[in-house]
Amino acid sequence: MPALVLQGRPVDSYPALPAEAERGSVRRVTVVGEEVLSRRCREVTAFGTPELSALIDDMFRTMYVADGAGLAANQVGVDLRLFVYDCPDDDGIRHVGHLINPVLDLPDPGRRRLLDDVEGCLSVPGAAMAVPRTDRAVVRGFDKDGNPLVIEGTGYFARCLQHETDHLIGHTYLDRLSKRDRKHALRQMEDRREDVFARRAVKAADLAR
């Protein structure tokens, strides 16, 4: 069994901090309530551009500074169908990559197994709530050069793929909660967000050294 899967393919080794994060710059993470998080993102139509590569680099660095497992483009204020990830599955296999114009495939309802597990979001800083997600997911899309990709996930990585794809249709995990649980999550965010922002600032400074 591989220890790491890069862009859907097993590899022998990969640095803890990928080259994308080394090259990138930290961007501000949008917060729930901002309009860019609540609308469907635009398809990427120009592949292989320096601008697209730079955006991916910046998203990786921003994700690491914020201690995230995934990050969608609208979480850095960019209205494009793109997300990056560095996320383990339930077997401890690390999955790293980016996906453009993703289309999510879930198991048929008769074979679908829902797992209730705690979920957080970099755009809901400091909050964590139980959210039902299927235990398997497949996402089809493209890499930054326009090559087709099929990314399969189980367990926590399947949750990550569903969470990030939700972002690109204008949803956060709060939209999957009851009104009561949503209010509770927003109270958590208000109580903890400044501590989260402070930790991110420290990590950004450490990474810049």
Side-chain angles (χ1 to χ4, degrees):
M1 185 176 290
L4 190 139
V5 178
L6 178 66
Q7 293 292 102
R9 296 185 177 183
V11 295
D12 292 331
S13 63
Y14 202 66
L17 188 69
E20 292 93 338
E22 294 276 10
R23 294 189 299 261
S25 300
V26 177
R27 299 198 187 195
R28 176 185 169 272
V29 177
T30 53
V31 176
V32 65
E34 296 183 41
E35 193 267 342
V36 71
L37 289 173
S38 59
R39 68 170 185 262
R40 183 178 290 270
C41 293
R42 295 178 295 116
E43 296 281 308
V44 174
T45 56
F47 292 88
T49 66
E51 293 80 10
L52 185 59
S53 293
L55 173 59
I56 290 169
D57 290 349
D58 290 356
M59 288 172 64
F60 264 102
R61 193 173 185 93
T62 303
M63 177 177 68
Y64 282 104
V65 162
D67 289 322
L71 186 73
N74 56 356
Q75 292 184 274
V76 293
V78 178
D79 179 25
L80 288 175
R81 290 182 54 77
L82 157 67
F83 67 80
V84 301
Y85 59 89
D86 188 342
C87 181
D89 62 24
D90 288 359
D91 295 318
I93 299 170
R94 180 186 175 198
H95 297 262
V96 182
H98 67 271
L99 198 62
I100 295 170
N101 297 341
V103 176
L104 179 66
D105 291 333
L106 298 177
D108 294 333
R111 292 189 282 177
R112 191 173 295 177
R113 181 173 172 241
L114 287 178
L115 298 178
D116 250 349
D117 205 350
V118 173
E119 197 166 314
C121 178
L122 301 186
S123 292
V124 192
M129 298 293 294
V131 182
R133 300 276 191 187
T134 64
D135 67 336
R136 294 181 176 274
V138 176
V139 185
R140 305 171 194 277
F142 303 89
D143 71 10
K144 63 183 179 180
D145 297 314
N147 300 308
L149 291 173
V150 178
I151 306 298
E152 300 183 38
T154 60
Y156 186 68
F157 182 47
R159 178 174 295 275
C160 174
L161 293 174
Q162 294 168 75
H163 179 112
E164 300 307 329
T165 306
D166 268 2
H167 271 302
L168 303 181
I169 60 173
H171 293 165
T172 69
Y173 81 88
L174 298 182
D175 296 309
R176 295 182 174 272
L177 301 177
S178 67
K179 287 185 178 180
R180 179 181 177 181
D181 285 346
R182 180 186 173 93
K183 287 180 180 178
H184 182 49
L186 292 174
R187 283 197 299 270
Q188 288 184 33
M189 183 181 77
E190 288 305 312
D191 290 343
R192 303 170 183 170
R193 63 191 294 174
E194 294 308 320
D195 288 341
V196 172
F197 293 156
R199 288 197 300 271
R200 291 179 187 176
V202 169
K203 190 158 184 179
D206 288 343
L207 205 56
R209 289 174 183 166

